[in-house]
């Protein structure tokens, strides 16, 4: 009986759920947007972000959300559920659920290449642990970088991270050939990447925006669906 009780305690323990970390399925989500579909694969190397994102998608959290912050040659951002009711021209992007996620930064394995999906967060001065927003995320578009530009980015990273983040040769080549936003590396959690629909991402990041970086014509997620 004692051994049975111990076994039941183990099975009911909150740590038993950590088996989800071993999930080997490459989960995929499709964002059906007003400008086309974007298919995202989630990284198993960031299980907390993966599972939280899947939970919110299944609950319908993202359905109707605006891309409330769009910056050309940089990224598109969404995840404020109150933005679905935002009036034209009103600022949006201040809301996310009242919890945060521990950083799961897996640099340089996961980096800010074009198409990377990463969690937004509060700034370093109020968030030194780089904890992620529960719901807000961005998709990288970025730009291509030559060697001089990458040297400037490295200097910026040295200052921001006290020399802890270095762009290795393989990533320098990737930023030169494909592009991205290397100045964010090692500071934000990258938890997925676009595998279909980068043309849609490109079109969204090119829309005309106001002084708050909100598109003048609403671009929204009509529905987010777990497809795998």
């Amino acid at each position: 009986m004692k051994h049975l009780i111990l076994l039941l305690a183990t099975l009911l323990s909150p740590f038993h759920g950590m088996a989800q970390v071993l999930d080997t399925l490459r989960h995929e989500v499709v964002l059906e947007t007003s400008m086309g579909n974007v298919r995202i694969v989630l990284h198993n190397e960031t299980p907390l972000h993966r599972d939280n994102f899947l939970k919110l998608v299944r609950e319908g959290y993202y359905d109707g959300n605006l891309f409330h912050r769009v910056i050309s040659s940089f990224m598109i951002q969404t995840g404020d559920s109150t933005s679905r009711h935002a009036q034209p021209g009103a600022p949006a992007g201040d809301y996310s659920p009242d919890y945060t996620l521990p950083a799961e930064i897996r640099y340089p394995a996961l980096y800010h290449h074009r198409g990377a999906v990463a969690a937004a967060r509060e700034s370093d001065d109020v968030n030194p642990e780089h904890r992620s927003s529960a719901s807000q995320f961005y998709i990288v578009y970025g730009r291509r970088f030559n060697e001089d530009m990458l040297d400037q980015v490295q200097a910026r990273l040295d200052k921001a991270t006290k020399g802890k983040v270095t762009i290795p040769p393989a990533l320098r080549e990737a930023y030169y050939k494909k592009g991205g936003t290397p100045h964010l590396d090692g500071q934000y959690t990258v938890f997925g990447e676009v595998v279909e629909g980068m043309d849609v991402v490109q079109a969204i990041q090119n829309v005309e925006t106001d002084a708050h970086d909100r598109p003048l014509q609403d671009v929204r997620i009509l529905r987010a669906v777990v497809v795998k």
Side-chain angles (χ1 to χ4, degrees):
M1 178 63 73
K2 180 179 178 182
H3 293 298
L4 177 59
I5 291 172
L6 288 173
L7 176 60
L8 287 173
T10 300
L11 291 174
L12 294 174
S13 165
F15 294 102
H16 184 69
M18 292 298 287
Q20 294 178 353
V21 172
L22 302 177
D23 190 346
T24 57
L25 178 66
R26 293 268 285 176
H27 294 280
E28 296 181 10
V29 170
V30 170
L31 305 179
E32 299 175 2
T33 85
S34 55
M35 294 184 66
N37 291 354
V38 178
R39 190 181 189 100
I40 295 169
V41 65
L42 304 179
H43 296 314
N44 291 332
E45 296 88 342
T46 54
L48 298 178
H49 286 71
R50 175 199 65 201
D51 292 350
N52 179 73
F53 190 68
L54 290 171
K55 174 179 178 291
L56 292 178
V57 169
R58 287 174 175 136
E59 291 174 350
Y61 176 91
Y62 292 107
D63 297 356
N65 287 11
L66 296 180
F67 284 94
H68 64 264
R69 184 169 179 243
V70 171
I71 303 177
S72 181
S73 300
F74 183 29
M75 58 91 224
I76 62 175
Q77 184 171 332
T78 186
D80 173 356
S81 64
T82 67
S83 69
R84 60 170 65 96
H85 305 301
Q87 294 299 309
D94 289 335
Y95 177 79
S96 63
D98 60 355
Y99 64 94
T100 57
L101 300 174
E104 294 182 291
I105 297 170
R106 305 291 183 249
Y107 182 79
L110 304 179
Y111 63 102
H112 284 79
H113 60 83
R114 180 166 290 172
V117 178
R121 63 172 178 84
E122 296 287 346
S123 59
D124 289 1
D125 56 340
V126 297
N127 181 28
E129 295 180 347
H130 296 171
R131 295 182 69 90
S132 299
S133 164
S135 63
Q136 293 207 26
F137 68 94
Y138 57 93
I139 302 176
V140 172
Y141 191 78
R143 65 182 64 197
R144 292 173 60 186
F145 288 76
N146 61 32
E147 288 299 317
D148 289 341
M149 294 165 69
L150 286 169
D151 288 343
Q152 294 174 28
V153 171
Q154 184 62 67
R156 181 175 175 180
L157 284 171
D158 289 343
K159 183 177 181 180
T161 69
K162 298 185 168 113
K164 294 179 181 178
V165 176
T166 301
I167 309 173
L171 267 59
R172 291 179 73 98
E173 183 176 3
Y175 283 126
Y176 172 72
K177 290 183 176 180
K178 297 182 179 180
T181 57
H183 64 281
L184 300 180
D185 279 342
Q187 301 162 84
Y188 293 77
T189 297
V190 174
F191 66 92
E193 64 181 307
V194 174
V195 291
E196 292 178 13
M198 274 308 297
D199 58 328
V200 177
V201 176
Q202 181 181 23
I204 295 173
Q205 61 96 43
N206 277 331
V207 300
E208 190 175 357
T209 58
D210 63 18
H212 301 287
D213 299 318
R214 175 179 167 178
L216 296 180
Q217 298 294 323
D218 287 346
V219 181
R220 69 177 68 244
I221 298 172
L222 304 175
R223 187 173 67 138
V225 186
V226 178
V227 293
K228 184 176 179 182

